[in-house]
Amino acid sequence: MEVFVRNLPQEATEKQVKQYFRPILADLSINVFHCQKPRNKGYAKITIFDRQLGQRFLAVHGQLLPGLEGFKTVKKQLRHMNRPLNCSLSNNAPDEYVLKSLEREQVEKTPAQWPPVLKPKAQAVDQKRTRRSFDFDSIYCGALDYIGSDLAFVPYYGQTRSGRLIFGRRFVLVDFNPSIVTLSAHQMEIPYSNILSMMTGSSTTPSVTFSLALAPRFYEKVPLAQNTLVEEMNRLGLKHYRKTQNVPERRRTIAFDPSHRAIVANCLCYRFQVSPDDVACILALKRLPGYPDIIPWELAVLMKSPFHAQMTSLNGALNATQYQKYPFELKFQLQRLAQNGYLPPYKVIQLMQIMAQEFVNADNLSLADAVRKLACYIPYPGGETEATELSLPTLRDLLLNNYDKISREKEYSKDLSTKYEQIAMVYKAMVTPAGIYLSGPEPEMKNRVLRKYSAFTSFFLQVNFADEDGEPIRYDRTTSLDGVYHERFKVVLEGNITIAGRPYEFLGFSHSSLRAQTCWFMAPFVWEGDLRHARAVIKDLGDFSAIRSPAKCAARIGQAFSQAFSSVKIPGHAFRRLPEVENVDADKILRTFSDGVGTCSKAILKLIWAAYAQSRTWKPTVCQIRYAGAKGMISLDDRLEGEVLCLRPSMIKFEAISDRIEICGAGFKPLNMYLNRQLIKILEDLGVPDRSFLDLQDEAVEQLRITTENPINAGYYLQRNDIGKAAKLSWLVRKLFYIGMSFSDDGFLRDTLELAVLIQLRKLKYRSRIYVERGMTVYGIMDETGFLDEGQIYCSVQNEKSALVLTGRVVITRSPAMHPGDVQCVTAVEVPPNSPLRSVHNCVVFSSKGDRDLPSQLSGGDLDGDLYNVIYDNTLMPKMLSTPADYETATPIDIHREVLRSDMTEFFVKFMENDQLGRLATLHQTLADQKPQGVFDPDCILLAEMCSTAVDFSKTGIPVDLTKIPRSSNVKPDFQAPGPRVLIEKSIAIEADDEQDGDEDDDVVEEAPATRYYESTKVLGQLYRAIDEHAFFEQIQRQSRSMRTSHRSSLAEQLWQYVRRETALMQYEHYLPFARDTRDAYEDNLADTILENSFHPTHFVSEVEVFAGELLGKYGAPNKRQRETSTSMKEKHDRDVAYTVQCILHGEEDDVSKAEALERSIACLDVAVHERGPRMRFGRLVSFTWVAAAVCLREVEKFIGS
């Protein structure tokens, strides 16, 4: 039941009201309830799950009679902040899903014994008795350093300003008292995950010092005067005045003031002076679960020259005559050391002085690599780091050792951009509210610009805009983010980023990079005798002067920044224009059936096959291309003779001159088809039985379960999922079994398999990513022959094993599917033997007939490279269909003049501010579960249209109108709940579910109210609950343990003994130096991969994740950013492993060397098993053992066979 509470103070927060009622309700045996208190309102609603208990509460504290008389007859009047409360039965029925969530909470209150696989949490202490709010009277910002061997605090900024340190559940809130001068009140949030160390002083120097890995978040409270009129009108009860816009309670800022702004990015140590009586209380906080460790440490104070003066000196040194011979590549790495906080600027200057003495005749590019790799070894200053570890002699030795290893490696290794024509080594910068952080160079697929200026790639900079943790800035309705977007990001976009004296300015961005909030900057350079700056580079790309929309102009320029796998030169006479295939439907709307698709002859395809590396195995007949100002798909038309490329007007976006086709993708083979939550919900509402989805998921879970039953299954699972492909991991696992060994005897190999299985299980449970065997994902093209009728498709697929032509009724859709009409059924047909369509495969061919083209009916698709899902599984056939959505095409914003650079940077900022696609999709998923009509509910139909607007925002410049978003409660279905955290330490373990404690003191920071979850009865809820993550993982670990053998020695040692027995007379010792260099090169590349793909300076990607080729989601399945990072991480590591294997097999490329592959592989295995590599910031690396083992076993197999 729902109780309505009146006469609460408007200023009271929901948390305060909840804490007030908790003991009162507990006295009546009410332990499960939901409190909802709107901001700045004088009422609240209390939902009680048990109606009888709710009536008991009203009998004691409620108004049972109407009017003033009833108010006087309350048995036990409640008072809050000296105000009498009026509690009565609400006129409204309680929210159905709030009740469901309370029912779920009631069940979960029953204690349960976690299975042994779970990692136990720290024992809870009495949190109510532990103070978590402490006054301070001054703040200092600086860094940690050393006086001799003693740790010291170096202050670079200070203020005598009072406030409170408030320790919440997830972060420390530093709440400053309002300034006497400006009346503004600042706040600072320090997430516990960012705290490297926390130290308290003594009673004589009472203080608390935080050493951080990332800059904190800063806020300024909105002065009350700004809301006086609104609050006064609300207080007077003027109901006709509606506060249509949420006035933010605070605004995100960059720093406290200009002085702090100068150091906020690099000085990550904050010290607060507290009361002597509070030191012991602060130390006691470390007993609370989830809180950082706190140690008593008397820090001396060390005074240094101002930090900005040190940075100025460093910048001057980088451009000084003394270091003029240093190339940009080396200066970039030196500036990175200081700018990213690895070393203080003064120490980088001292290091440069040592380099000038020690590396007089050094190869400066090798020296740049050596400086870059210092980041792998430099520890953070703190209680666990000795002063000698950061001393100049130690840094000098590290640098000399790095340089020596790199020089030896370069005798036989090549730069990635040299080995792979399509790869460029790209420098990067991440712009956050606090600072600009440098990284790279990292391998990236080339685009048109990088390909044209391939000798000048260091003059191009990839710039990502993000929060301090590397994630996009999070939407928060209570916080204004204008300061971040307009006072920080926009200023950087309209200015430049100076690195080693080289100024980089905004250049452009691609469609995909816009969504990733990434763009390109460039610095001027001389090319063919002319100075090339950003305007000149853009002008060379084509003529954009006729485009009057900033979003559209940016999208057209962005075509040149699309990554391309290869570039093919074609003769000028090959290009022809094709007319569009169009029709006017019954509503007089022009429909284009050929939107984005053209054709080509086989001669053109042969040119593409010759240039495209993958074409050595498969010969694609459909390709996604960029050519001059055109983009889209081309398909083989075997009726064309000679070299012919046919493009349509819809493909040509602007006028440009080029003689090269860039290949962005091709239909080599059909991609796997996976269901997702949006598609499952639509299919469910179209009549597909729940059992169909549950059966598919059960089958997928069973396939994962049997993976760890024996090494043969494990090997085939690794092979099927391309895990460790370059290292031949699947072959290695099976080979070990055949020679009497078990991969499960090695912790690293065992963890690799278990992690791969767990990631797939989490994708099933938290994303409903269910494999459909009778389904595929392919490019779409148009029937150029006119054979197919309306409602028909032709789909022919081929892979290395088989060929298939679909016939009969099939389901076709496209992601993202939100509207019920985004899923349609069509008839797949065969074509005559002499049809030109017979020559195309691994695509779906759509009809060119009818009132409306089918692609546009599927989530507004077209044929310029969209992928379509085709399902021919009869169990997934809908029992009904819905009319497709037909949204009005939005006209891009027209500024009625030529688009300038400032217009495009303004749009880039606007897009970052207003990109709400993820939020809308999540809300659609929630409401579709709660509404009786599901995806047919008007709110869901509206959200589907808003998602379409959000998708087109990048092309039209028109954002979603957020005022139209349907209202929803803070109650969600259980399948949207986050999962338990998985830890990768010495082994993989799943933590017990994180139960949020609601019994915090009133003075503790007001954090966002916890989301409630109810048990969904729809199919997504059934799928979610059908997977018991803990029980499954315990089972596979038990199965894995059962495969272990009883050998006392390690698996690596067993393998070494086997190899020496089989090659007893083989001499390999002369290759041991080569083997050490090969291991060092491999581990250096692996260390780079770990650092490049870690989202946090101290929480590194694990070696297991890199080797398995996929990042583990912290809670549940990996998010979009982690999935994209996994893809690039796997590509880089596979290239590094493949090159390492080639080095072992071919040595120095001479005939003698090639003949001694066995000797080299034995030497590499010997070094891997018996010589430990150096310890880096993230520990020692071990995977080289198994890369070398796979090569060695193959060579031994050849040796035995011969």
Side-chain angles (χ1 to χ4, degrees):
M1 65 180 295
E2 185 174 275
V3 175
F4 197 81
V5 183
R6 297 179 179 84
N7 204 37
L8 283 164
Q10 291 187 16
E11 298 77 15
T13 66
E14 182 173 289
K15 187 172 197 172
Q16 289 171 331
V17 174
K18 184 177 182 180
Q19 289 170 343
Y20 170 78
F21 274 100
R22 186 183 297 279
I24 296 169
L25 293 170
D27 288 343
L28 298 169
S29 300
I30 303 172
N31 297 310
V32 175
F33 67 96
H34 176 66
C35 175
Q36 187 177 1
K37 162 67 172 67
R39 295 177 185 270
N40 303 315
K41 301 291 183 182
Y43 67 86
K45 292 185 283 187
I46 307 289
T47 306
I48 300 171
F49 174 65
D50 191 315
R51 186 174 184 82
Q52 289 184 340
L53 292 177
Q55 289 171 342
R56 184 190 302 178
F57 167 80
L58 287 177
V60 178
H61 302 293
Q63 178 178 333
L64 302 178
L65 298 174
L68 184 61
E69 196 62 34
F71 187 70
K72 292 178 181 178
T73 59
V74 174
K75 287 184 181 180
K76 191 173 181 180
Q77 185 71 60
L78 296 177
R79 302 184 72 87
H80 180 58
M81 298 179 70
N82 208 31
R83 298 175 66 142
L85 301 184
N86 182 348
C87 302
S88 61
L89 181 64
S90 173
N91 293 327
N92 299 319
D95 186 294
E96 172 190 356
Y97 293 98
V98 170
L99 287 177
K100 285 187 175 184
S101 73
L102 292 174
E103 181 180 16
R104 182 173 183 259
E105 185 178 340
Q106 184 80 47
V107 173
E108 290 177 351
K109 287 284 184 181
T110 306
Q113 181 66 43
W114 288 109
V117 70
L118 299 185
K119 185 178 180 67
K121 282 180 168 275
Q123 292 296 315
V125 297
D126 188 349
Q127 299 191 36
K128 276 194 171 183
R129 296 182 182 178
T130 307
R131 266 186 64 205
R132 284 176 278 181
S133 177
F134 308 93
D135 293 334
F136 65 86
D137 55 30
S138 60
I139 177 178
Y140 298 91
C141 176
L144 293 179
D145 210 325
Y146 295 88
I147 301 176
S149 61
D150 297 328
L151 190 64
F153 174 71
V154 183
Y156 290 116
Y157 169 88
Q159 266 197 3
T160 304
R161 193 170 172 187
S162 61
R164 288 191 305 164
L165 287 172
I166 308 172
F167 291 81
R169 282 197 304 266
R170 296 179 293 273
F171 58 80
V172 181
L173 178 71
V174 183
D175 195 20
F176 291 89
N177 295 327
S179 166
I180 299 175
V181 179
T182 64
L183 299 179
S184 63
H186 287 94
Q187 291 182 331
M188 179 170 75
E189 286 182 2
I190 305 175
Y192 293 141
S193 60
N194 288 353
I195 297 177
L196 296 172
S197 61
M198 184 174 162
M199 294 167 279
T200 57
S202 65
S203 58
T204 55
T205 56
S207 63
V208 56
T209 305
F210 299 90
S211 176
L212 309 179
L214 302 172
R217 294 189 291 266
F218 301 94
Y219 302 91
E220 183 180 8
K221 293 181 182 177
V222 175
L224 292 175
Q226 294 184 17
N227 293 322
T228 301
L229 179 61
V230 173
E231 300 303 329
E232 187 63 20
M233 295 185 77
N234 285 334
R235 189 183 69 79
L236 293 172
L238 300 179
K239 295 183 179 179
H240 290 292
Y241 179 82
R242 285 200 63 191
K243 191 170 161 187
T244 55
Q245 292 184 341
N246 287 321
V247 177
E249 299 171 9
R250 59 183 185 174
R251 64 188 297 267
R252 181 89 178 262
T253 58
I254 311 304
F256 299 135
D257 54 42
S259 298
H260 185 228
R261 176 75 191 90
I263 65 167
V264 68
N266 313 97
C267 298
L268 302 180
C269 196
Y270 287 85
R271 191 177 199 184
F272 301 88
Q273 299 297 128
V274 297
S275 166
D277 298 334
D278 288 342
V279 172
C281 296
I282 293 172
L283 273 171
L285 291 173
K286 66 181 180 181
R287 295 179 297 146
L288 298 179
Y291 278 55
D293 192 25
I294 308 170
I295 56 175
W297 197 292
E298 189 73 26
L299 287 172
V301 176
L302 174 64
M303 303 307 295
K304 292 277 187 183
S305 59
F307 188 85
H308 66 86
Q310 292 184 36
M311 284 300 294
T312 301
S313 298
L314 175 60
N315 291 329
L318 290 171
N319 294 292
T321 306
Q322 181 183 359
Y323 304 106
Q324 194 171 9
K325 69 171 187 175
Y326 285 176
F328 171 82
E329 289 78 3
L330 176 54
K331 292 180 179 180
F332 179 96
Q333 301 303 338
L334 290 166
Q335 182 168 330
R336 172 175 170 260
L337 286 178
Q339 197 155 316
N340 290 20
Y342 293 114
L343 292 173
Y346 79 87
K347 192 160 283 188
V348 177
I349 295 173
Q350 293 173 343
L351 188 63
M352 291 172 65
Q353 293 167 352
I354 290 176
M355 288 164 51
Q357 299 168 4
E358 300 278 353
F359 296 91
V360 177
N361 299 314
D363 173 57
N364 285 324
L365 294 181
S366 297
L367 185 56
D369 282 345
V371 173
R372 181 189 184 192
K373 294 183 190 306
L374 274 181
C376 299
Y377 301 97
I378 298 175
Y380 284 97
E384 297 180 354
T385 303
E386 297 291 335
T388 53
E389 295 179 68
L390 288 166
S391 67
L392 278 174
T394 300
L395 294 175
R396 169 191 171 276
D397 291 344
L398 281 173
L399 191 59
L400 284 168
N401 186 49
N402 285 349
Y403 181 80
D404 184 50
K405 287 197 301 182
I406 289 165
S407 297
R408 293 198 310 271
E409 292 166 13
K410 286 197 171 181
E411 292 177 8
Y412 55 87
S413 66
K414 298 178 183 177
D415 186 85
L416 274 175
S417 58
T418 305
K419 290 184 287 184
Y420 303 99
E421 186 274 334
Q422 74 273 25
I423 296 294
M425 300 303 292
V426 174
Y427 290 89
K428 298 183 178 183
M430 183 172 75
V431 180
T432 73
I436 298 175
Y437 304 98
L438 308 178
S439 63
E442 298 171 16
E444 289 282 339
M445 199 71 69
K446 285 182 181 177
N447 55 46
R448 185 179 304 178
V449 175
L450 293 181
R451 189 170 282 106
K452 180 174 182 177
Y453 303 107
S454 57
F456 298 89
T457 54
S458 69
F459 288 84
F460 295 89
L461 185 71
Q462 194 179 81
V463 182
N464 174 235
F465 291 82
D467 212 335
E468 305 303 330
D469 59 1
E471 295 286 345
I473 301 290
R474 295 169 184 83
Y475 170 80
D476 182 355
R477 62 184 178 84
T478 67
T479 304
S480 168
L481 298 172
D482 287 351
V484 173
Y485 289 119
H486 295 277
E487 296 170 22
R488 173 61 177 156
F489 290 173
K490 187 177 179 182
V491 169
V492 173
L493 283 161
E494 294 184 345
N496 57 54
I497 298 173
T498 301
I499 304 173
R502 185 181 286 182
Y504 290 84
E505 63 176 346
F506 173 81
L507 178 63
F509 48 84
S510 68
H511 180 261
S512 59
S513 71
L514 173 64
R515 294 206 171 275
Q517 300 187 0
T518 300
C519 60
W520 288 94
F521 278 46
M522 70 161 287
F525 57 89
V526 176
W527 186 74
E528 295 184 350
D530 293 328
L531 182 64
R532 275 286 188 272
H533 46 71
R535 286 193 303 275
V537 169
I538 296 298
K539 187 177 180 181
D540 280 355
L541 295 177
D543 183 7
F544 307 98
S545 59
I547 303 174
R548 295 291 184 260
S549 166
K552 195 171 183 179
C553 185
R556 298 300 172 245
I557 294 173
Q559 289 177 209
F561 296 100
S562 297
Q563 293 183 340
F565 295 99
S566 62
S567 171
V568 182
K569 187 172 182 178
I570 65 168
H573 63 77
F575 172 57
R576 298 180 188 174
R577 292 179 183 265
L578 274 180
E580 297 287 2
V581 178
E582 298 173 329
N583 186 36
V584 177
D585 67 13
D587 295 322
K588 311 293 188 193
I589 299 174
L590 181 67
R591 306 290 187 179
T592 303
F593 289 74
S594 55
D595 190 5
V597 66
T599 61
C600 69
S601 63
K602 191 167 186 178
I604 292 292
L605 273 184
K606 284 182 177 180
L607 294 175
I608 294 173
W609 295 340
Y612 212 150
Q614 283 182 271
S615 296
R616 294 166 192 164
T617 307
W618 298 292
K619 309 294 183 186
T621 57
V622 293
C623 298
Q624 186 182 18
I625 67 159
R626 302 288 185 267
Y627 173 71
K631 64 185 286 276
M633 293 293 298
I634 55 172
S635 63
L636 172 62
D637 186 343
D638 59 11
R639 296 171 297 183
L640 298 174
E641 297 181 358
E643 296 173 329
V644 181
L645 174 67
C646 300
L647 304 181
R648 289 188 164 92
S650 60
M651 302 175 72
I652 301 171
K653 307 300 183 180
F654 60 90
E655 293 301 322
I657 299 173
S658 177
D659 61 353
R660 303 192 74 86
I661 296 180
E662 295 158 327
I663 313 300
C664 301
F668 289 103
K669 59 180 179 178
L671 303 177
N672 288 340
M673 162 66 198
Y674 294 92
L675 297 175
N676 56 45
R677 284 180 170 170
Q678 286 90 350
L679 181 54
I680 289 172
K681 183 56 188 165
I682 291 174
L683 290 172
E684 177 191 27
D685 291 346
L686 293 178
V688 176
D690 294 355
R691 193 68 254 166
S692 299
F693 306 109
L694 291 164
D695 287 346
L696 283 174
Q697 179 173 277
D698 289 346
E699 184 180 343
V701 172
E702 178 62 16
Q703 289 296 318
L704 291 176
R705 188 193 62 76
I706 66 174
T707 294
T708 54
E709 281 188 344
N710 58 66
I712 303 301
N713 288 355
Y716 282 121
Y717 175 80
L718 294 170
Q719 180 180 347
R720 191 167 59 247
N721 290 278
D722 279 348
I723 298 169
K725 183 177 180 180
K728 304 291 190 294
L729 183 60
S730 62
W731 179 88
L732 175 66
V733 166
R734 294 195 294 269
K735 180 65 178 178
L736 288 171
F737 173 71
Y738 294 143
I739 60 176
M741 302 178 197
S742 174
F743 78 94
S744 289
D745 285 348
D746 181 75
F748 179 80
L749 293 180
R750 189 171 61 247
D751 285 351
T752 299
L753 180 66
E754 289 177 0
L755 179 75
V757 170
L758 181 59
I759 288 173
Q760 294 304 319
L761 184 78
R762 292 196 135 203
K763 288 179 180 179
L764 283 171
K765 183 174 179 68
Y766 298 105
R767 288 178 58 205
S768 299
R769 189 173 185 267
I770 304 172
Y771 173 61
V772 180
E773 185 176 5
R774 295 177 65 80
M776 65 186 73
T777 302
V778 288
Y779 286 112
I781 62 171
M782 188 193 71
D783 174 18
E784 301 285 348
T785 68
F787 174 79
L788 298 175
D789 289 327
E790 184 177 12
Q792 292 183 336
I793 64 165
Y794 172 69
C795 189
S796 169
V797 293
Q798 296 179 10
N799 57 31
E800 62 272 26
K801 295 180 180 179
S802 61
L804 171 69
V805 176
L806 295 185
T807 55
R809 199 78 170 150
V810 299
V811 179
I812 189 161
T813 184
R814 173 180 165 271
S815 292
M818 309 288 286
H819 188 280
D822 290 340
V823 174
Q824 295 294 319
C825 287
V826 292
T827 304
V829 300
E830 178 63 280
V831 296
N834 61 346
S835 171
L837 296 181
R838 286 268 186 169
S839 63
V840 296
H841 51 259
N842 296 337
C843 62
V844 55
V845 184
F846 292 100
S847 171
S848 59
K849 299 176 183 177
D851 278 349
R852 181 181 175 189
D853 59 299
L854 182 57
S856 71
Q857 301 176 48
L858 308 174
S859 305
D862 55 31
L863 301 177
D864 71 351
D866 288 356
L867 291 167
Y868 294 86
N869 305 125
V870 182
I871 303 173
Y872 51 103
D873 187 330
N874 289 331
T875 66
L876 296 177
M877 288 291 167
K879 290 184 169 54
M880 57 180 280
L881 293 175
S882 173
T883 304
D886 193 8
Y887 306 126
E888 185 177 344
T889 303
T891 303
I893 292 175
D894 190 338
I895 60 175
H896 304 292
R897 60 170 170 79
E898 189 171 343
V899 175
L900 305 177
R901 168 188 153 181
S902 59
D903 297 315
M904 288 188 286
T905 56
E906 177 75 32
F907 169 67
F908 192 86
V909 173
K910 181 180 177 182
F911 186 87
M912 287 192 288
E913 278 186 292
N914 294 281
D915 184 18
Q916 298 290 325
L917 182 58
R919 177 186 170 198
L920 294 171
T922 301
L923 180 57
H924 179 277
Q925 197 177 96
T926 303
L927 294 183
D929 188 80
Q930 294 176 354
K931 302 288 187 178
Q933 292 178 269
V935 294
F936 289 92
D937 185 88
D939 281 349
C940 290
I941 297 295
L942 172 62
L943 282 169
E945 183 174 3
M946 295 177 78
C947 283
S948 177
T949 302
V951 168
D952 291 339
F953 177 25
S954 60
K955 302 172 187 175
T956 64
I958 302 172
V960 171
D961 184 354
L962 299 182
T963 63
K964 293 182 179 179
I965 295 181
R967 291 190 176 187
S968 64
S969 64
N970 201 34
V971 183
K972 297 182 179 181
D974 54 353
F975 58 80
Q976 290 184 333
R981 188 161 62 119
V982 175
L983 304 177
I984 304 177
E985 295 171 343
K986 291 186 178 179
S987 62
I988 302 173
I990 305 177
E991 273 197 339
D993 291 328
D994 186 17
E995 294 186 19
Q996 296 180 344
D997 178 28
D999 295 332
E1000 295 186 355
D1001 299 334
D1002 285 347
D1003 63 352
V1004 173
V1005 56
E1006 175 75 10
E1007 298 184 15
T1011 302
R1012 287 190 171 277
Y1013 298 96
Y1014 61 86
E1015 192 171 285
S1016 169
T1017 58
K1018 309 292 174 58
V1019 71
L1020 287 174
Q1022 296 175 50
L1023 290 167
Y1024 172 79
R1025 292 187 298 277
I1027 295 177
D1028 186 332
E1029 189 175 4
H1030 303 108
F1032 179 89
F1033 196 60
E1034 183 187 21
Q1035 181 184 13
I1036 67 169
Q1037 287 196 322
R1038 190 166 56 245
Q1039 290 175 179
S1040 183
R1041 287 193 296 269
S1042 70
M1043 285 192 285
R1044 298 184 198 177
T1045 63
S1046 56
H1047 285 280
R1048 293 183 179 179
S1049 58
S1050 69
L1051 178 62
E1053 186 60 40
Q1054 294 175 49
L1055 181 60
W1056 171 250
Q1057 295 300 328
Y1058 168 81
V1059 168
R1060 290 312 290 145
R1061 285 197 305 272
E1062 298 297 334
T1063 60
L1065 301 178
M1066 190 68 64
Q1067 299 298 311
Y1068 68 89
E1069 289 78 4
H1070 57 293
Y1071 276 116
L1072 287 173
F1074 165 89
R1076 295 185 187 103
D1077 291 344
T1078 302
R1079 181 199 59 190
D1080 290 345
Y1082 170 83
E1083 292 190 346
D1084 282 345
N1085 287 330
L1086 179 55
D1088 285 343
T1089 304
I1090 289 173
L1091 289 176
E1092 288 165 9
N1093 295 285
S1094 297
F1095 299 139
H1096 192 281
T1098 59
H1099 305 159
F1100 298 107
V1101 170
S1102 69
E1103 184 179 11
V1104 174
E1105 288 173 287
V1106 176
F1107 202 70
E1110 194 148 18
L1111 297 179
L1112 179 69
K1114 185 178 179 182
Y1115 299 101
N1119 60 29
K1120 182 180 178 182
R1121 181 188 178 211
Q1122 290 168 329
R1123 295 195 299 272
E1124 291 173 348
T1125 301
S1126 293
T1127 300
S1128 58
M1129 178 184 75
K1130 177 176 171 56
E1131 289 173 353
K1132 179 184 182 301
H1133 185 63
D1134 283 351
R1135 285 194 299 264
D1136 292 339
V1137 171
Y1139 191 68
T1140 300
V1141 170
Q1142 289 302 307
C1143 286
I1144 298 173
L1145 291 176
H1146 299 291
E1148 298 177 357
E1149 298 295 340
D1150 58 72
D1151 293 337
V1152 175
S1153 183
K1154 289 179 182 179
E1156 296 188 343
L1158 175 58
E1159 290 89 334
R1160 280 191 300 276
S1161 67
I1162 296 173
C1164 287
L1165 185 61
D1166 188 2
V1167 167
V1169 174
H1170 300 120
E1171 298 182 17
R1172 300 179 75 182
R1175 185 172 186 83
M1176 302 185 189
R1177 289 172 63 190
F1178 34 77
R1180 284 191 174 85
L1181 302 174
V1182 299
S1183 59
F1184 179 73
T1185 301
W1186 304 110
V1187 175
V1191 178
C1192 188
L1193 279 178
R1194 279 185 175 271
E1195 292 303 310
V1196 169
E1197 189 175 68
K1198 293 178 188 175
F1199 176 72
I1200 296 172
S1202 63

